[in-house]
Amino acid sequence: MSNSLVLPIVIPAIISIILIFLGKQALTKRMVVFAGALITLVCASFNLWNVMQHGIQFLELGSWPVPYSITLTVDYLSAAFVFTSSLMMIFIIVYSYQSVSFERERYYYYSSLMFMLAGLNGAFSTGDIFNLFVFFEVFLMSSYVLMIIGGTKIQLQESIKYILVNVISSSFFVLAVAMLYSVVGSLNMADISVKLAQLGDHSIITICAILFIFVFATKAGMFPLYFWLPGAYYAPPIAILTIFGALLTKVGVYAIMRTYSLFFPTETVGNILLVLALLTIISGCIGALAYRDMKKIIIYNIMIAIGVIITGVSLLTVDGMLGAIYYVFHDIIIKAALFMLVGVIIRITGQTTFDKTGGLIKQYPLLGWTFFIAALSLAGIPPLSGFYGKYYIVKALFQEQHIIAAVIVLLSSLVVLYSVIRIFINVFWGKPGALIQHPPYMKMMVVSFLVTMLAVAFGFYADQLFPLFHQAAVTLTDTSEYTKILEVK
Amino acid sequence: MEIVMIILAGILIAAAVYLILSRSLLRVIIGTSILTHAVNLLLLSMGGLKEGAIPIYGKEIKRYVDPIPQALILTAIVISFAITAFILVLAFRSYKELGTDNLEEMRGVPDEQ
């Protein structure tokens, strides 16, 4: 019952409106957007602290009683997601200072960034299914703008495909909400959860579940619906690609976690998710091995990570969820770090494929070793951050007797490690390749270094995060605490 | 009544899918707007099409129709309107820049040799 829950949504929206009026004053805009993101982060961390101290927080917008109003329901998972997205947005903003051209900055770049943050935070903290759709549209709309900004030929071609895919999947989202509304007659997620549990195992509920999986799998880039992802993410500049790769697909994952655990915790749905997730891992592995282009390799690594997370989610046990939660936060940080580092490499060498490069380690040792740590962390070498998530997921898979799934997850780590180490070996070792100019890259490097160190810290302090993530996993597997909001009145 | 509406929505969705699968960009955009029409129609009929007054309060009225789907549709219409406007401008820009509206020719990311 505290109004502070709206702040991570409202502040970026207000800052975004202010930024529209600032027009062409590049320096002022940079300062305003940084201050705004910082305030958002402070509010988000206050909410996180509040949730950790006092349990799940609810806010009925407009003080209408629960099933009739739009509620913001911030549980442990949502609070952690809001905090992480606000934190990553700060890094991305500072990274954009040097990597995004002045031309792009002039055309409402930071304004779209802040609007996207508002949409993301809203999607993470809402407790209403139609409101989730609206926040999806908010951040998708800003992602369209970010994708097209600059207007090069490749961007035009790819963003048409991206927008068409998302328009169609949004239509199906409305369709799924309509079907769910006709079954239960409610839009509040806690209320729907209680009412669906009373209905029992109807086939119409499974159909609704498959519709929702279809929608969110398109947003997240899961197996049969990932076809838009490699092309669309290849087109925009690297700073924008970092936001997309680190945060945008994870909203789809979050929505799958939420709807699956609240609405359709049945075995049929779980099995569908498990099979799709494993196929996602396999197709991502094939892509990551096939290409010699650094951006494409990391893009296919996004898909592998999505597959691993959904594998953990599909089991709906505490261990599986715990692994998925550890892995999703690890992946947000490390994907951002890797995209940023690849951005620095592309900046220095002017090449996106690693064939014509080599021998960078002598001139750029810091970049080289940071990339090496990030690569090991991505693969999940024990003291680093990727380990805990995969450990819990594999443990849960063995407990549930899914031996083949566990083997696929473990083998995928090997492919991930090979694909990124291949970049490392080709770019940093060997004899110097194509001529290297020395463009300014120091600010980009500092941010990439900080994000990588954040990933390392995430690995070393995983123990301290355990209580939070454990409680998040427990609330996801046992939804009684989430639906408690209905009894408060 | 609901049956008729559902069949109509089905026909609209079939038309939309057919148009979306065509080559010309404009036909695809017409397809997506037909798809949103179909979905909005379905949202209306899923709320139930029982007899009742319009949902404006009057003292002597006993029964109203369900107001929630109407509010949802209003939101969905505005969103899809904004996106359609955006994508039309994008289509115009890409026609000027690329000189084609054939989706087959929009190769996008170059393949490696």
Side-chain angles (χ1 to χ4, degrees):
Chain A
M1 272 295 113
S2 80
N3 284 327
S4 68
L5 293 184
V6 294
L7 291 178
I9 309 167
V10 169
I11 290 171
I14 293 172
I15 296 289
S16 169
I17 292 165
I18 294 172
L19 283 167
I20 290 173
F21 289 111
L22 284 179
K24 290 174 185 170
Q25 307 158 25
L27 205 64
T28 332
K29 273 208 274 198
R30 286 180 179 183
M31 277 150 64
V32 169
V33 76
F34 186 74
L38 213 57
I39 300 168
T40 314
L41 180 68
V42 171
C43 296
S45 40
F46 171 72
N47 281 343
L48 180 64
W49 175 82
N50 210 5
V51 167
M52 280 166 84
Q53 295 295 316
H54 305 110
I56 302 177
Q57 301 288 309
F58 311 107
L59 174 65
E60 294 155 331
L61 297 178
S63 300
W64 291 86
V66 162
Y68 307 110
S69 67
I70 290 174
T71 53
L72 294 184
T73 316
V74 178
D75 68 345
Y76 305 95
L77 184 66
S78 319
F81 260 114
V82 169
F83 176 77
T84 319
S85 65
S86 309
L87 182 66
M88 293 325 288
M89 200 52 96
I90 290 186
F91 286 119
I92 289 162
I93 285 167
V94 180
Y95 189 80
S96 315
Y97 288 169
Q98 201 164 35
S99 68
V100 173
S101 64
F102 276 117
E103 276 302 302
R104 287 198 168 96
E105 274 186 332
R106 261 181 55 196
Y107 287 102
Y108 306 105
Y109 172 73
Y110 293 121
S111 188
S112 314
L113 269 191
M114 280 287 107
F115 224 72
M116 173 173 265
L117 183 60
L120 285 170
N121 285 347
F124 287 137
S125 50
T126 187
D128 184 285
I129 192 74
F130 196 76
N131 199 229
L132 183 70
F133 163 73
V134 174
F135 277 123
F136 260 74
E137 290 304 311
V138 168
F139 73 73
L140 281 175
M141 198 74 200
S142 5
S143 82
Y144 303 155
V145 176
L146 285 175
M147 186 163 266
I148 198 65
I149 211 165
T152 56
K153 279 187 179 173
I154 181 171
Q155 274 180 303
L156 283 169
Q157 292 173 343
E158 287 302 335
S159 51
I160 284 175
K161 292 167 198 167
Y162 175 74
I163 294 171
L164 284 175
V165 166
N166 274 308
V167 166
I168 292 164
S169 93
S170 296
S171 297
F172 274 90
F173 198 166
V174 179
L175 196 114
V177 171
M179 282 190 67
L180 201 61
Y181 183 73
S182 75
V183 176
V184 291
S186 174
L187 292 168
N188 186 291
M189 300 219 276
D191 197 27
I192 294 173
S193 170
V194 172
K195 282 183 177 160
L196 280 181
Q198 287 163 356
L199 272 178
D201 210 0
H202 269 286
S203 55
I204 183 84
I205 298 173
T206 313
I207 293 171
C208 283
I210 289 168
L211 264 175
F212 273 108
I213 290 174
F214 172 80
V215 171
F216 297 137
T218 318
K219 313 279 186 200
M222 275 172 72
F223 165 62
L225 305 159
Y226 65 84
F227 52 89
W228 57 271
L229 195 144
Y233 280 17
Y234 192 84
I238 199 87
I240 298 167
L241 175 57
T242 311
I243 315 163
F244 285 10
L247 292 173
L248 226 55
T249 47
K250 306 301 181 295
V251 199
V253 172
Y254 169 80
I256 287 178
M257 279 179 171
R258 191 57 85 202
T259 47
Y260 172 47
S261 69
L262 274 177
F263 299 170
F264 327 105
T266 57
E267 205 171 325
T268 333
V269 182
N271 286 337
I272 295 170
L273 276 176
L274 183 63
V275 172
L276 287 183
L278 292 177
L279 290 171
T280 314
I281 296 177
I282 293 167
S283 43
C285 286
I286 294 170
L289 290 177
Y291 286 104
R292 308 180 69 76
D293 186 312
M294 289 180 278
K295 266 161 123 183
K296 275 188 187 161
I297 290 173
I298 315 283
I299 286 170
Y300 278 100
N301 271 309
I302 299 175
M303 277 164 54
I304 302 177
I306 298 284
V308 172
I309 297 162
I310 300 294
T311 311
V313 171
S314 71
L315 300 174
L316 209 62
T317 59
V318 175
D319 270 347
M321 280 292 180
L322 188 59
I325 292 167
Y326 260 115
Y327 203 77
V328 77
F329 289 111
H330 146 76
D331 196 61
I332 290 175
I333 300 170
I334 201 70
K335 282 285 144 54
L338 271 173
F339 276 123
M340 286 170 173
L341 288 165
V342 164
V344 177
I345 295 173
I346 292 173
R347 178 97 167 188
I348 289 171
T349 59
Q351 305 284 337
T352 52
T353 52
F354 54 62
D355 287 334
K356 293 171 192 159
T357 57
L360 249 63
I361 194 81
K362 273 186 188 151
Q363 280 174 294
Y364 303 95
L366 179 65
L367 176 64
W369 295 118
T370 316
F371 190 87
F372 186 66
I373 291 170
L376 291 188
S377 185
L378 182 71
I381 307 291
L384 297 164
S385 61
F387 172 69
Y388 302 95
K390 260 185 196 152
Y391 166 71
Y392 280 112
I393 288 171
V394 171
K395 185 178 155 199
L397 283 171
F398 274 121
Q399 276 169 356
E400 300 287 309
Q401 310 284 321
H402 293 298
I403 309 294
I404 300 169
V407 171
I408 291 176
V409 169
L410 289 173
L411 282 180
S412 78
S413 319
L414 211 60
V415 175
V416 167
L417 183 63
Y418 174 69
S419 67
V420 246
I421 286 297
R422 204 159 62 126
I423 299 179
F424 178 76
I425 290 174
N426 276 288
V427 173
F428 291 100
W429 289 357
K431 52 179 185 299
L435 90 162
I436 293 167
Q437 62 272 43
H438 294 276
Y441 72 102
M442 223 35 230
K443 278 186 210 159
M444 289 161 76
M445 186 58 226
V446 168
V447 180
S448 330
F449 181 73
L450 284 178
V451 178
T452 316
M453 287 304 112
L454 186 69
V456 172
F458 184 82
F460 279 106
Y461 291 99
D463 220 21
Q464 268 75 17
L465 293 168
F466 183 80
L468 172 69
F469 289 168
H470 186 73
Q471 266 176 321
V474 170
T475 14
L476 276 177
T477 45
D478 173 25
T479 53
S480 59
E481 204 180 343
Y482 190 90
T483 53
K484 201 175 61 187
I485 182 171
L486 294 168
E487 295 150 23
V488 171
K489 289 296 103 184
Chain B
M1 192 62 195
E2 278 94 342
I3 300 288
V4 180
M5 294 292 256
I6 287 168
I7 291 170
L8 180 58
I11 293 169
L12 282 175
I13 287 181
V17 169
Y18 176 74
L19 283 170
I20 286 168
L21 292 177
S22 58
R23 276 186 190 173
S24 162
L25 184 53
L26 266 185
R27 286 166 71 97
V28 174
I29 297 170
I30 292 170
T32 53
S33 44
I34 290 178
L35 184 65
T36 51
H37 282 314
V39 167
N40 289 341
L41 193 64
L42 208 68
L43 192 49
L44 191 71
S45 17
M46 284 293 168
L49 293 171
K50 295 172 207 75
E51 297 266 318
I54 48 166
I56 297 174
Y57 177 71
K59 263 182 191 161
E60 64 281 6
I61 301 168
K62 290 270 157 52
R63 294 185 56 186
Y64 298 96
V65 293
D66 190 354
I68 290 182
Q70 303 188 7
L72 301 188
I73 290 168
L74 199 58
T75 318
I77 285 175
V78 184
I79 290 173
S80 74
F81 173 71
I83 291 173
T84 310
F86 186 81
I87 197 171
L88 278 171
V89 174
L90 184 61
F92 175 65
R93 177 73 193 271
S94 66
Y95 178 70
K96 280 182 81 172
E97 201 93 344
L98 309 168
T100 177
D101 76 329
N102 189 341
L103 281 169
E104 293 275 304
E105 286 172 23
M106 296 189 186
R107 279 275 162 246
V109 177
D111 281 332
E112 294 167 35
Q113 298 80 18

